[in-house]
Amino acid sequence: MQVLYTAEALATGDGREGHVRSFDGLLEADLAVPKELGGAGGATNPEQLFAAGYAACFHSALRRVARQARADVSGSTVIGRVGIGPNGDGGFGLAVELEIALPSVERVAAQQLVDRAHQVCPYSNAVRGNIDVKLTVVDE
């Protein structure tokens, strides 16, 4: 693969209770363990960052395949949900759900676009076979 862009970020502090920033300074955030995992909450966490990145990337892939199919995806949205929990082997795993709304596209065509976007999206390609990803097309 020819790399066209590389994002760089630095994590400091105490991991999930630390701080992250991109080398270009465009992203900077404190991190906190969510209350649901026994932490104080009050700041973002790796799962939120992953959910936001995956949702944005998938939405971009969806718009790309829609343009190729000449489909109207105006008003489309993607909600990313990333869950974390024990994996049964002493570690933790992730589960992802993407909820996709394509209000201007008929249901069958919408599902076809979503399935195609799942083949194109770099995040989908990266996690395939490693993380369960549930794709849900919703009516709006």
Side-chain angles (χ1 to χ4, degrees):
M1 177 182 93
Q2 178 189 359
V3 174
L4 301 176
Y5 168 76
T6 300
E8 292 182 278
L10 173 68
T12 58
D14 192 16
R16 289 177 166 275
E17 295 287 339
H19 187 83
V20 293
R21 70 172 172 80
S22 61
F23 281 18
D24 63 9
L26 295 176
L27 172 70
E28 186 157 356
D30 289 327
L31 301 174
V33 174
K35 290 181 181 180
E36 296 84 349
L37 295 178
T44 194
N45 58 66
E47 290 71 37
Q48 286 181 337
L49 296 170
F50 189 61
Y54 201 161
C57 187
F58 192 89
H59 200 193
S60 181
L62 181 64
R63 295 181 66 79
R64 179 177 182 222
V65 299
R67 274 192 307 276
Q68 293 169 344
R70 292 178 169 60
D72 177 10
V73 292
S74 57
S76 61
T77 60
V78 176
I79 297 172
R81 294 185 180 96
V82 174
I84 185 171
N87 66 6
D89 292 326
F92 288 85
L94 300 175
V96 172
E97 179 179 2
L98 299 178
E99 182 178 294
I100 303 103
L102 295 164
S104 302
V105 181
E106 182 267 323
R107 180 67 172 219
V108 171
Q111 187 64 57
Q112 290 171 342
L113 291 172
V114 166
D115 292 343
R116 180 68 188 125
H118 192 44
Q119 297 305 309
V120 172
C121 175
Y123 275 65
S124 293
N125 289 330
V127 304
R128 188 169 288 110
N130 297 307
I131 297 176
D132 291 331
V133 178
K134 179 180 177 187
L135 303 172
T136 304
V137 178
V138 297
D139 298 322
E140 276 207 343

